[in-house]
Amino acid sequence: MVKTSNFSKDDLLSHPDILWERHVEGVVTNTVKFVQELPDSINQLIDKNTLLDIAVTCALLHDLGKLTFFFQDYIRSPEKGKSELSQHALLSALLTYWTVNKKVSEIAPEDPKFDILPFIAYMVVRSHHGNLDHFFKLKALSPNQCDLVKKQWDSINKEKLQSFWNLHELSIPLEQISKLINELPNSFKPGRKLLKYLSIKKDLDAYFLSNLLYSILLDADKSAVGLDALLDQIKKLSPTIIDEYRKKRGWNSASSEFDQLRNQAYYDAIKNININGGQQIFALSLPTGFGKTYTALSIALKLLNSRNLNRIIYCLPFTSIIDQNFEEIKNAIESTRGKNIDTSILLKHHYLSDIFFRTEKQEYDPLSSQLLMEGWNSLIVVTTFVQFFHTLIGYRNRTLKKFHRMANSIIILDEIQAIPFKYWKLFNEVIQSFSKYFNTYFLLVTATQPSIFPSKEKKDLVKIDHYFPKVDRVNLYLSEEFRDLEKYKKFILSHAKGKKRIIVVFNTIKSAQNFYQKIRNEFDNLYFLSSHVVPKKRLQILKEINQESSFFLVTTQVIEAGVNLDAEIIFRDFAPLDCINQIAGRCNRFSQQSKGEVYIANLVDENTNRFFANYVYDSSLLDLTHKILNKQMIPESEMLSLCQHYFEKISCFPQNESEILVESLHYLRYDNDDRAISTFQLIEQNYEKFDVFIELNEQAKSIWNEYLQLKEIRDFWKRHAKYLSLKNRFQNYIVSVSKKNLEKNPPPIVEDIYYVPFSQLEEYYDPEIGYKTTHSIAIW
């Protein structure tokens, strides 16, 4: 995108340093590229040529409202401030609506799907500087909006506009547009056709069309402003790179029975993707410790090359395990290729990620790096479930920008059992349709495969009942109820005697902290983990534990799914069966010792006489788990059948939340409705939380001072760029604390954030157990 800073008074600007026509040209060029990259399977949703025509029209007209006198006056003199008249999205959207309406009436007037395209194009342009909203709110104009549009239209230089119109051969005459504007609101009534279509069709086509066009426009627009050029086509990696890495590590010549099983599972999975036909949803279900990360990546690389796909998106439920998996993938690729890889090949994307993007040719500044990272412009993206699912089922501008990037991809959903059962039906319907339209492959990875997809809807890459009965590394014991942590402590110490690697898992932060306080002077190599420990310290602790031959870890559920820990004995407060099975997977993972032991207790909060488990988990899942675990000792070899029975029962539970959200997707209820898409939360927040910056050490002091200095930078973009360079380091010293805990003993608020200075650290933060809680039901 060409930028300039020398303009005449007759030049029209889109941004302070960009000519309007050049910006529009850049957006159109990007739009054409993005549509052309879509797979031919998109024709099942909408004819690709028609999609290109509509998308280009949106690109051409999305900023037409910037041609008004009012916007041009504002962009040249921003100190005057914005006004209603200087806003441009509504006028641009109306012109887009009428232009697309004329186009589709000429293409296929009898096709009901074409009837909704004008409104979708209107909604996309109307919302390109905000989030998507409820279609009902957008389908009519107020008298004030009509007056506003008329004043804006009258202020546009029609001679220049006519030249633009002629250049791009826009079919609707400007005289007709003037007439339509004067006839508002009667000339804009899309609601009847839209409601008619939605009442006849019961699919998600309107939702996918809306999000696709919105995503393409957002990415094309922001890239035209923030990038000099789009990235070149990403180079593919060898499909055998993991095979080569396994050979290099000597894993193919395993001698132990356990390692031979691991190898057999790997080759079975690889063989089964090669014989597969048109299936696009795969399941990889293997016991913990079987190397599912490398197996999943190897499968994905082979699919990437054989099906000519664009990228691999590796999704994990928690940020606590992303760094671990990212490093494993990075090491495998670099050691095999014999050279470092750049961000265009492998990207880590979550809220703690460094804002940094580098290719072989250049290193990008923070603003451009943010655009490239948030647009998933990499061959392999390692990210969170939240990032992925809130893009797949979303309404926000920032997340939906990358919606179109998920086409022609392989999505690895690792630890799929972490998806709340209330969303199973929702994910089934959305993923089935998305995979069909967008040529996207899904790989569901877990040791405990939930019943989200019936067996006929997915391809199992290994025979589940072949491997699980052959591993018997752990015994699960159901222990008694404990109302006193002192008694629980004695129980743990008596059973853990002689053990070197011990983990104790609690359901709430408060109970974990209280237990730690009771034993903090009794053990060497004692560690504590919860979300009240700053992220930087959490990562440091996990690295230290993996290097220790002995440790005693007191923790909450943050270590459950996927964290690479291996204990001899584990004690856990009661939880749903899938959580119990996951924590059992942290015990004797590689079958290198006598049987591991996992003890499940029922801990009671003395203050309320409630089980701690009831603060955290759905009571129906807890009740079902109590019924299924009906004997005192259960060997690992029996856990598969118990988990299958558990998930079968869950699949019969009511799916009210899923049904409501599927309906909201169909009716384009994006926001401003108590059933809207905006109510979807993958990770449910049961109570309000606030961020607290912990000035833990000298490094944190320096970071805080940098944060304070941001306000001294007057230029918005320079200030934002500086913040992006600081963001990761800043977030590494932030903990999220419940409103109740803060109200009892709030630290000061400085620059709109709670702040614990180093001088007051003792009052609010314990270097070992994190933020000091004052309420008993803080979780995680």
Side-chain angles (χ1 to χ4, degrees):
M1 184 68 219
V2 179
K3 296 185 180 182
T4 179
S5 56
N6 299 312
F7 308 110
S8 75
K9 61 182 177 60
D10 294 325
D11 285 330
L12 297 169
L13 306 181
S14 64
H15 300 80
D17 56 353
I18 306 177
L19 289 168
W20 179 83
E21 286 190 39
R22 288 184 178 175
H23 173 64
V24 171
E25 288 169 8
V27 178
V28 170
T29 299
N30 292 345
T31 296
V32 171
K33 181 178 187 295
F34 295 156
V35 174
Q36 288 175 341
E37 288 174 347
L38 293 171
D40 290 340
S41 58
I42 205 70
N43 286 303
Q44 298 175 77
L45 178 65
I46 183 174
D47 175 72
K48 196 172 181 180
N49 290 326
T50 301
L51 176 67
L52 178 61
D53 194 9
I54 304 303
V56 168
T57 301
C58 291
L60 281 169
L61 302 179
H62 80 287
D63 272 355
L64 193 133
K66 290 184 174 182
L67 298 185
T68 66
F69 164 81
F70 307 104
F71 180 85
Q72 291 300 311
D73 184 51
Y74 158 71
I75 204 69
R76 291 173 183 274
S77 305
E79 68 277 1
K80 293 180 180 179
K82 293 181 180 179
S83 68
E84 282 189 327
L85 285 167
S86 67
Q87 294 173 1
H88 68 280
L90 177 57
L91 176 59
S92 304
L94 285 168
L95 268 64
T96 304
Y97 172 80
W98 289 318
T99 305
V100 172
N101 194 45
K102 185 163 180 23
K103 282 178 179 288
V104 299
S105 66
E106 295 168 351
I107 298 171
E110 300 303 321
D111 187 336
K113 189 177 287 184
F114 281 78
D115 284 344
I116 66 171
L117 285 176
F119 175 79
I120 289 175
Y122 165 83
M123 178 174 65
V124 163
V125 174
R126 181 82 176 87
S127 307
H128 79 278
H129 283 293
N131 300 324
L132 290 171
D133 208 339
H134 197 307
F135 88 90
F136 202 81
K137 184 180 176 184
L138 297 172
K139 73 181 182 64
L141 300 179
S142 69
N144 180 58
Q145 287 174 317
C146 294
D147 291 341
L148 198 71
V149 167
K150 290 171 185 176
K151 289 176 184 176
Q152 290 176 324
W153 179 251
D154 288 342
S155 78
I156 289 179
N157 184 319
K158 301 300 189 297
E159 185 179 338
K160 289 188 176 183
L161 181 57
Q162 188 67 64
S163 298
F164 175 80
W165 223 251
N166 295 339
L167 177 66
H168 296 286
E169 300 179 344
L170 293 165
S171 57
I172 184 167
L174 291 184
E175 295 79 9
Q176 187 178 345
I177 289 178
S178 293
K179 184 173 182 291
L180 290 166
I181 287 176
N182 287 325
E183 291 174 352
L184 285 171
N186 295 326
S187 55
F188 177 72
K189 290 190 174 181
R192 183 178 60 82
K193 286 184 177 180
L194 183 65
L195 284 170
K196 181 181 178 182
Y197 174 86
L198 295 176
S199 65
I200 295 171
K201 297 286 186 177
K202 297 300 179 185
D203 52 35
L204 301 179
D205 288 11
Y207 172 77
F208 285 130
L209 267 173
S210 300
N211 284 26
L212 177 59
L213 280 166
Y214 185 59
S215 172
I216 288 170
L217 178 59
L218 292 178
D219 200 4
D221 186 23
K222 293 180 181 182
S223 297
V225 176
L227 299 174
D228 291 328
L230 295 175
L231 294 186
D232 296 332
Q233 182 67 35
I234 303 169
K235 294 178 182 178
K236 299 283 181 71
L237 291 172
S238 165
T240 62
I241 201 163
I242 299 300
D243 303 286
E244 295 167 36
Y245 181 67
R246 286 171 51 82
K247 184 178 180 181
K248 187 175 182 178
R249 294 289 301 271
W251 292 346
N252 293 340
S253 55
S255 55
S256 73
E257 184 180 345
F258 180 76
D259 287 339
Q260 288 171 8
L261 270 179
R262 281 161 49 104
N263 282 342
Q264 184 185 347
Y266 177 82
Y267 290 113
D268 278 353
I270 299 302
K271 177 185 70 178
N272 281 324
I273 62 162
N274 291 334
I275 65 172
N276 174 66
Q279 188 69 46
Q280 288 179 264
I281 300 174
F282 301 94
L284 179 65
S285 306
L286 288 169
T288 57
F290 264 57
K292 292 189 289 293
T293 298
Y294 292 125
T295 304
L297 184 61
S298 185
I299 291 166
L301 286 167
K302 289 170 172 57
L303 284 171
L304 186 81
N305 285 270
S306 64
R307 311 293 161 91
N308 195 29
L309 303 172
N310 293 340
R311 62 181 44 80
I312 297 167
I313 303 169
Y314 198 123
C315 309
L316 294 147
F318 309 116
T319 56
S320 56
I321 54 177
I322 282 184
D323 290 304
Q324 164 194 304
N325 281 46
F326 177 85
E327 289 301 322
E328 288 179 359
I329 294 169
K330 183 171 179 283
N331 290 339
I333 296 171
E334 288 186 340
S335 65
T336 306
R337 296 177 83 217
K339 63 179 181 178
N340 293 338
I341 54 176
D342 58 53
T343 331
S344 69
I345 293 177
L346 180 63
L347 170 69
K348 176 169 57 177
H349 183 225
H350 60 83
Y351 81 102
L352 289 173
S353 301
D354 284 321
I355 306 298
F356 176 80
F357 202 96
R358 188 190 72 235
T359 66
E360 287 183 348
K361 295 180 179 178
Q362 74 177 100
E363 183 175 317
Y364 290 83
D365 63 64
L367 291 173
S368 298
S369 292
Q370 183 185 36
L371 276 173
L372 292 165
M373 290 176 70
E374 291 183 350
W376 286 356
N377 287 270
S378 303
L379 181 67
I380 304 173
V381 180
V382 183
T383 190
T384 61
F385 275 13
V386 168
Q387 283 287 343
F388 170 70
F389 281 111
H390 281 269
T391 301
L392 188 65
I393 302 162
Y395 73 106
R396 290 186 182 277
N397 180 303
R398 191 167 178 177
T399 52
L400 289 181
K401 181 168 76 78
K402 58 184 178 289
F403 183 89
H404 73 102
R405 298 275 180 195
M406 301 192 300
N408 272 330
S409 295
I410 304 107
I411 314 289
I412 300 173
L413 298 175
D414 200 348
E415 307 295 353
I416 186 71
Q417 80 289 337
I419 291 176
F421 79 89
K422 64 182 179 180
Y423 293 136
W424 285 6
K425 183 176 180 180
L426 169 68
F427 291 164
N428 178 296
E429 292 202 26
V430 175
I431 286 173
Q432 291 264 31
S433 297
F434 192 89
S435 63
K436 178 179 73 172
Y437 291 144
F438 293 91
N439 192 38
T440 300
Y441 291 74
F442 288 85
L443 178 57
L444 317 176
V445 181
T446 183
T448 51
Q449 194 70 239
S451 305
I452 299 175
F453 296 93
S455 56
K456 65 181 180 181
E457 295 176 357
K458 67 180 190 296
K459 168 75 176 178
D460 286 307
L461 294 176
V462 296
K463 292 181 179 179
I464 298 175
D465 55 3
H466 178 73
Y467 293 99
F468 282 85
K470 293 184 178 181
V471 290
D472 201 13
R473 301 163 292 181
V474 177
N475 284 336
L476 183 73
Y477 299 92
L478 300 184
S479 59
E480 60 192 282
E481 180 180 300
F482 291 94
R483 295 178 176 271
D484 183 344
L485 279 181
E486 191 62 41
K487 289 183 180 178
Y488 189 45
K489 170 189 165 183
K490 290 178 181 177
F491 174 84
I492 289 172
L493 296 183
S494 65
H495 285 77
K497 191 174 182 180
K499 305 291 185 183
K500 292 184 177 181
R501 299 188 304 283
I502 304 160
I503 297 176
V504 186
V505 183
F506 290 86
N507 282 329
T508 70
I509 294 171
K510 184 66 175 176
S511 58
Q513 289 181 333
N514 286 344
F515 181 79
Y516 186 92
Q517 299 281 28
K518 290 180 178 295
I519 64 167
R520 73 188 308 166
N521 298 318
E522 297 188 26
F523 290 93
D524 296 326
N525 294 338
L526 183 63
Y527 296 93
F528 181 88
L529 280 175
S530 84
S531 63
H532 275 197
V533 176
V534 296
K536 189 175 182 68
K537 181 74 180 292
R538 293 204 300 264
L539 289 174
Q540 179 186 331
I541 287 170
L542 286 171
K543 286 179 181 177
E544 286 182 17
I545 288 175
N546 276 308
Q547 294 171 357
E548 296 284 357
S549 59
S550 64
F551 60 83
F552 193 121
L553 173 63
V554 179
T555 180
T556 59
Q557 309 94 304
V558 292
I559 64 137
E560 227 157 58
V563 173
N564 192 16
L565 292 176
D566 190 10
E568 294 175 85
I569 189 167
I570 293 176
F571 302 86
R572 205 228 187 274
D573 195 358
F574 199 80
L577 185 59
D578 55 313
C579 298
I580 290 172
N581 194 51
Q582 282 299 314
I583 199 62
R586 310 306 121 210
C587 188
N588 194 20
R589 283 170 63 81
F590 304 111
S591 195
Q592 293 178 338
Q593 57 207 33
S594 57
K595 269 198 175 184
E597 301 168 36
V598 177
Y599 291 86
I600 307 299
N602 281 284
L603 302 184
V604 179
D605 185 346
E606 296 176 81
N607 297 320
T608 63
N609 206 34
R610 288 182 66 191
F611 290 111
F612 284 107
N614 289 115
Y615 291 138
V616 184
Y617 299 110
D618 187 291
S619 59
S620 58
L621 297 180
L622 296 173
D623 291 343
L624 177 59
T625 303
H626 277 294
K627 290 176 183 177
I628 290 175
L629 299 180
N630 55 12
K631 59 181 183 179
Q632 290 300 111
M633 193 278 285
I634 301 166
E636 183 184 6
S637 56
E638 294 180 14
M639 284 300 290
L640 173 64
S641 61
L642 294 179
C643 285
Q644 287 174 330
H645 179 53
Y646 172 78
F647 285 129
E648 284 170 11
K649 290 290 186 183
I650 289 176
S651 65
C652 299
F653 285 7
Q655 294 270 318
N656 295 336
E657 290 93 340
S658 278
E659 289 167 3
I660 288 169
L661 281 166
V662 168
E663 185 183 78
S664 291
L665 294 175
H666 170 70
Y667 281 106
L668 306 182
R669 290 197 291 254
Y670 284 100
D671 201 4
N672 288 302
D673 189 300
D674 57 8
R675 300 167 298 168
I677 297 166
S678 59
T679 64
F680 168 65
Q681 284 187 316
L682 186 68
I683 300 176
E684 190 173 351
Q685 298 290 351
N686 295 320
Y687 49 84
E688 197 172 3
K689 289 183 177 182
F690 293 92
D691 287 344
V692 182
F693 184 88
I694 309 296
E695 200 172 74
L696 186 61
N697 49 35
E698 290 299 320
Q699 186 179 34
K701 276 186 182 181
S702 175
I703 291 168
W704 178 255
N705 287 331
E706 283 187 66
Y707 176 72
L708 293 181
Q709 289 166 14
L710 289 175
K711 64 183 179 182
E712 305 299 328
I713 305 173
R714 297 183 64 83
D715 182 275
F716 171 80
W717 292 110
K718 289 181 180 178
R719 184 169 65 252
H720 185 56
K722 177 62 179 174
Y723 171 71
L724 291 177
S725 68
L726 172 68
K727 179 185 172 185
N728 168 259
R729 292 177 292 135
F730 188 76
Q731 291 285 346
N732 267 304
Y733 288 96
I734 281 182
V735 294
S736 291
V737 181
S738 72
K739 184 178 180 180
K740 288 184 178 180
N741 279 328
L742 286 172
E743 284 175 344
K744 293 186 184 250
N745 186 27
I749 296 177
V750 179
E751 296 297 321
D752 300 321
I753 187 171
Y754 286 99
Y755 165 60
V756 176
F758 186 79
S759 60
Q760 294 179 267
L761 203 58
E762 189 174 342
E763 184 178 351
Y764 298 101
Y765 190 88
D766 184 306
E768 292 182 34
I769 62 174
Y771 195 86
K772 296 180 179 179
T773 61
T774 54
H775 196 270
S776 62
I777 63 168
I779 64 171
W780 294 91

